[in-house]
């Protein structure tokens, strides 16, 4: 089984971004030893619990502190940026760390309307521009040609894998049309997962980058020595979703015993739906949940995310998963 890690560089209650980045690098170094394939970070803005807003900069920190694990964006929210800027940023990363950089692209803003306006200065851009921007970005990575007026240097001629990210059918259709690998955000938006996988696989067109469909799925893991401890650890992520849906985002909160059971039934149902692609509990429970998920979806790779308050417990969760599937 191929497993990777999605990290949001969580800022915990009582901590700061400096601690978040230190913990992320520590996690990446452990992940490299444990056999995880990739370590990705995601672009989010104006969120007090997420430090990875300047994604390319954060990835440079991770890549410089590791030696073999692939490092990438999961993803860059392309509508927030000029494609040339992203080509230059990731061309720089690939030049510094050859053969280790991935570039995942999403079309969501990664924030609310106010922060999106602050990033872009206008929201009047064409909502259908994402496919065109992806193609433009891919062009910048092609070898040099006579007469090309705008060039990504560094970037030009570099072989940087490009992924399409999504949580709906749009990304699945685009990834299939362009012949690119596809990553679905099932770890927080699982509603259209199975339909998106089917659309992607059934309409995939082979390309010079990829000859057959390749599906990566986001998956939450809160692994611990007991089921009760796993449930307790998961309460930090549950609080994050409840606070975010209430319009009051916070740093990652300490775990609360029996948190979900204390909520009104509509909020419990919301969490059950959002976190349906999760494994929570002791090693045996987690192993069964992951094996069932892979059997059901046929995923080629899982991108594991573990938003756990205590760094030692977060490391332990990833180690348990690695020992279940990556060792031996």
């Amino acid at each position: 089984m191929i497993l990777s890690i999605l990290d949001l560089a969580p800022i915990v209650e009582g901590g700061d971004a400096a601690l978040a980045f230190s913990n992320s690098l520590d996690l990446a170094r452990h992940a490299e030893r444990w056999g995880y394939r990739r370590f990705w970070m995601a672009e989010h803005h104006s969120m007090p619990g997420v430090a990875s807003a300047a994604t390319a900069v954060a990835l440079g920190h991770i890549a410089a502190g590791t030696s073999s694990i692939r490092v990438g964006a999961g993803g860059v929210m392309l509508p927030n940026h000029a494609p040339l800027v992203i080509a230059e940023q990731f061309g720089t990363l690939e030049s510094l760390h050859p053969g280790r950089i991935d570039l995942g692209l999403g079309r969501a803003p990664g924030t609310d309307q106010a922060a999106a306006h602050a990033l872009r200065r206008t929201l009047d851009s064409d909502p259908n521009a994402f496919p065109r921007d992806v193609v433009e970005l891919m062009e910048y990575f092609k070898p040099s040609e006579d007469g090309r007026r705008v060039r990504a240097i560094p970037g030009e001629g570099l072989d940087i894998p490009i992924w399409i990210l999504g949580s709906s059918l749009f990304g699945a259709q685009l990834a299939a049309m362009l012949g690119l690998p596809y990553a679905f955000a099932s770890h927080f938006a699982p509603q259209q997962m199975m339909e998106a996988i089917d659309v992607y696989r059934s309409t995939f067109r082979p390309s010079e980058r990829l000859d057959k469909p390749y599906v990566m799925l986001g998956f939450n893991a809160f692994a611990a020595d007991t089921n009760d401890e796993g449930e307790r650890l998961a309460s930090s992520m549950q609080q994050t979703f409840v606070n975010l849906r209430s319009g009051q985002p916070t740093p990652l909160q300490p775990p609360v015993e029996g948190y979900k059971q204390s909520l009104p039934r509509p909020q419990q149902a919301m969490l059950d739906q959002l976190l349906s692609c999760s494994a929570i509990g002791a090693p045996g429970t987690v192993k069964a949940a992951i094996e069932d998920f892979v059997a059901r979806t046929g995923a080629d790779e899982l991108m594991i995310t573990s938003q756990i308050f205590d760094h030692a417990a977060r490391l332990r969760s990833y180690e348990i998963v690695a020992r279940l599937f990556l060792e031996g």
Side-chain angles (χ1 to χ4, degrees), residues 33-84:
R33 294 197 298 271
W34 291 331
Y36 285 92
R37 173 72 58 87
R38 312 171 204 278
F39 190 94
W40 281 10
M41 304 181 87
E43 176 187 347
H44 292 278
H45 299 280
S46 196
M47 296 185 68
V50 179
S52 53
T55 313
V57 180
L59 292 173
H61 172 63
I62 300 299
T66 53
S67 60
S68 60
I69 194 168
R70 296 196 65 86
V71 175
V76 162
M77 301 298 106
L78 194 53
N80 296 336
H81 312 278
L84 176 61

Side-chain angles (χ1 to χ4, degrees), residues 223-308:
D225 293 331
T226 67
N227 287 336
D228 287 345
E229 178 62 9
E231 292 285 353
R232 191 183 74 86
L233 296 177
S235 67
S236 295
M237 185 63 169
Q238 293 164 352
Q239 291 174 74
T240 293
F241 276 120
V242 170
N243 294 339
L244 190 60
R245 288 295 179 95
S246 303
Q248 298 175 320
T250 63
L252 190 65
Q253 299 295 298
V256 175
E257 198 83 41
Y259 173 75
K260 193 174 85 167
Q261 291 72 25
S262 72
L263 297 172
R265 286 193 177 275
Q267 289 185 325
Q268 291 188 40
M270 179 267 290
L271 290 175
D272 287 341
Q273 192 275 320
L274 289 176
L275 297 175
S276 60
C277 298
S278 302
I280 303 174
T285 303
V286 168
K287 185 174 190 289
I290 291 177
E291 288 178 340
D292 177 72
F293 183 74
V294 172
R296 181 160 52 92
T297 61
D300 297 292
E301 185 171 343
L302 292 190
M303 179 66 70
I304 305 293
T305 184
S306 300
Q307 288 286 86
I308 293 173

Side-chain angles (χ1 to χ4, degrees), residues 200-216:
Y200 172 66
R201 287 177 172 152
S202 64
T203 62
F204 181 85
R205 300 177 186 175
S207 71
E208 60 183 18
R209 288 178 171 267
L210 192 65
D211 61 355
K212 61 182 180 180
Y214 192 94
V215 175
M216 177 195 291

